[in-house]
Amino acid sequence: MIQSSVTVCLVPEIRGGPFVFWDDLEEGCRQARELGFDAIELYPRCAQAVDRARLKDVLSQYRLRLSAVATGAGYVLNRWHLCSEDESNRKRAYRFIADLIDLASDFGAPVILGSMKGFAERRAESKRVLARLEQTLDSLACRAAEQGVSLLLEPLNRYETNIINRLEEAFDLIASLGAGNVRILADLFHMNIEEDSICEAFKKCATALGYVHLVDSNRRPAGLGHINFADVGEVLRQVGFRGYVSAEALPYPDSRGAAARTMEVFRRDIAQGAAI
Ligand SMILES: [Mn+2]
């Protein structure tokens, strides 16, 4: 069964970013429950900033699961990433992610690698950078596997990175890893920019698909741009996708409105007809 999730961002400095609920974990969870979401996706400042006992209490109070832990703050706040030419920067990125893997393991949640994957600082060297990233990912994935955690590799569009822009590139990278606990996070906003066909990309990469970011072409909530969500829902059901579809969109017109609109589309186009 396809399950629903919604993002809760706990990093006020990045306000303006594409996250639905902000700042107040409990209020985000309360509204997520009220609107019928199964889970929240957490975007923390860092692992140390999360009070695990409180997170457990709040999730259980509102009968929500943790669908995933995002790592983007490591890049957005500190400019750390796994492809940096500066070794100490790379090490900090690795440590930041390893700490979040440890946090995620307490909740049985996967860890998202989006902007923290990084980019080739010199485009001409992207091949070498990718080869090194492959090794780093294998090491991180091994570590995650020991803690029962999976990694979600998220392709980002060309304006955000110059490596792994399309699902197929993530698919090939994952296939080259020794680790078996790395899957693709398909974000519809990025896919709308990069894929020849959103539905064909889902079909080609279905065996490695682990998670979906539900968002429209303009990064507003599903239904407020020009992505055809009936088609998306149909292809996800057709390929037998069973993971989370998580609202990662601008809080437009506001957090509550964005979450409510997403839930409407989720019920109408994504979950509808899914095997229960
Ligand atoms: Mn995303």
Side-chain angles (χ1 to χ4, degrees):
M1 182 179 175
I2 301 177
Q3 298 168 88
S4 60
S5 178
V6 59
T7 45
V8 178
C9 179
L10 301 179
V11 188
E13 294 97 315
I14 59 169
R15 197 168 289 285
F19 305 102
V20 174
F21 291 116
W22 288 82
D23 307 337
D24 187 336
L25 173 69
E26 180 160 3
E27 180 58 16
C29 287
R30 193 185 67 73
Q31 295 200 35
R33 166 46 51 205
E34 212 172 87
L35 291 165
F37 285 93
D38 299 306
I40 61 153
E41 174 185 321
L42 192 68
Y43 192 107
R45 164 178 302 278
C46 61
Q48 292 74 15
V50 177
D51 179 340
R52 299 182 192 202
R54 176 161 182 267
L55 178 57
K56 268 185 191 153
D57 283 351
V58 173
L59 289 171
S60 99
Q61 185 185 347
Y62 294 101
R63 289 172 289 121
L64 292 163
R65 289 184 301 275
L66 190 63
S67 63
V69 174
T71 59
Y75 179 70
V76 180
L77 295 179
N78 310 297
R79 297 292 170 218
W80 297 334
H81 68 97
L82 294 175
C83 290
S84 173
E85 289 305 320
D86 171 8
E87 194 188 350
S88 75
N89 180 305
R90 282 202 307 277
K91 281 189 171 160
R92 287 195 167 97
Y94 189 97
R95 185 73 248 163
F96 185 88
I97 295 164
D99 288 344
L100 286 170
I101 288 171
D102 185 64
L103 167 71
S105 74
D106 275 6
F107 297 86
V111 167
I112 298 171
L113 298 177
S115 57
M116 280 299 264
K117 287 192 308 305
F119 55 94
E121 290 169 359
R122 292 187 288 271
R123 182 179 283 272
E125 293 184 25
S126 61
K127 247 189 159 166
R128 180 182 60 79
V129 165
L130 263 176
R132 193 176 58 200
L133 179 63
E134 193 179 314
Q135 288 185 343
T136 311
L137 287 176
D138 249 331
S139 157
L140 266 176
C142 240
R143 192 185 181 106
E146 283 166 13
Q147 296 185 262
V149 172
S150 331
L151 301 180
L152 295 168
L153 219 53
E154 180 178 13
L156 305 177
N157 74 72
R158 66 190 68 185
Y159 306 108
E160 298 185 33
T161 181
N162 52 13
I163 56 163
I164 315 171
N165 302 125
R166 292 178 300 113
L167 260 52
E168 202 176 6
E169 293 169 285
F171 187 89
D172 291 344
L173 178 58
I174 288 169
S176 71
L177 298 176
N181 59 329
V182 185
R183 302 178 74 71
I184 299 174
L185 190 168
D187 179 309
L188 287 158
F189 168 75
H190 299 297
M191 290 178 80
N192 176 64
I193 296 172
E194 296 295 341
E195 305 292 349
D196 300 341
S197 155
I198 288 177
C199 289
E200 287 309 310
F202 274 128
K203 284 184 200 163
K204 269 189 196 159
C205 300
T207 55
L209 184 64
Y211 199 96
V212 175
H213 272 159
L214 190 63
V215 54
D216 220 318
S217 50
N218 47 10
R219 230 170 192 177
R220 285 182 173 177
L224 297 179
H226 57 71
I227 288 179
N228 185 329
F229 289 96
D231 286 354
V232 169
E234 194 181 331
V235 75
L236 288 177
R237 294 191 300 273
Q238 192 187 329
V239 302
F241 179 68
R242 290 286 178 274
Y244 282 103
V245 165
S246 182
E248 190 199 52
L250 295 167
Y252 177 87
D254 51 36
S255 294
R256 173 79 182 197
R261 168 53 69 111
T262 298
M263 185 42 83
E264 259 176 57
V265 171
F266 180 80
R267 288 196 169 124
R268 189 189 64 214
D269 292 333
I270 309 292
Q272 168 254 338
I276 295 168

